Structure formats: C-alpha cells, structure tokens
Amino acid sequence: MRTGSRWKSTVDTTEVMVIRGPSKDIDLRCGGHAMVASGTSFEAAEIDPAYADGTQVGKRYVDEELGLELLVSKAGSGTLSVADRSLHLKDAKPLPTSD
C-alpha cells in the first residue's frame, strides 16, 4: 500500500486514495470483497449486506492500529474494511478558539 496509490471497489462505485499506509500488505476490502488497484481488470461481486453502510466522497477513513488512512474520491454503498474490521470516519481536528 503505497501512499498515493488508488484503489477501486469490486462491488460498487467506491474509489479511494491512500493518504497513509502501513508498511506491510493488508486485506483492503469494500462491501466485504477485496479492492483492486485502479486500472486493474476485475470480476464484479455482490455486496455483503453486513458491509453496506456506504462511504462519503471527500471523507477520510482510518484504522489507527495499522496506521492506514484513505481518502474517498468516489462514494459508494459498501463499507471500507481491513479484513473483517471496518474502518472509521476520521474526526475533524477542532479549530482553536479565538478570543
């Protein structure tokens, strides 16, 4: 998972870009099925209803344990996950108050 690499879902329209990736290989999934590198041919799969919470365009999804951060460039209906563990929407940093 190189920083800057792009990945596409095999079950819906979700596309992501790696902002921060782990040094080891991971099982990146969307909708319960493996994602493929953008531009790679693939066989379409059916979305797993257990992983159908969807993604939001322009939002970042993270797995703190692995140090993974993804930016969604195209939204879809599948949930992003690493193996069976769903990624979480990254919280916005609070802005400092101005007095």
Side-chain angles (χ1 to χ4, degrees):
M1 289 241 115
R2 290 180 317 125
T3 300
S5 63
R6 295 179 180 270
W7 297 82
K8 181 171 179 40
S9 171
T10 59
V11 298
D12 65 4
T13 59
T14 302
E15 291 186 23
V16 299
M17 182 172 69
V18 178
I19 301 300
R20 194 170 36 116
S23 57
K24 61 182 179 178
D25 287 338
I26 60 170
D27 181 15
L28 181 60
R29 298 180 185 189
C30 182
H33 296 278
M35 294 186 80
V36 296
S38 200
T40 304
S41 61
F42 61 89
E43 189 174 318
E46 291 290 322
I47 194 165
D48 181 341
Y51 295 96
D53 292 334
T55 55
Q56 300 175 33
V57 70
K59 299 294 183 179
R60 293 176 186 228
Y61 290 82
V62 296
D63 183 313
E64 300 291 339
E65 186 178 313
L66 291 174
L68 175 66
E69 183 174 337
L70 304 173
L71 174 66
V72 176
S73 56
K74 283 190 182 177
S77 56
T79 301
L80 294 171
S81 64
V82 173
D84 294 331
R85 189 175 62 232
S86 296
L87 301 183
H88 301 285
L89 190 61
K90 184 175 182 178
D91 294 328
K93 291 182 182 177
L95 296 174
T97 58
S98 60
D99 292 330

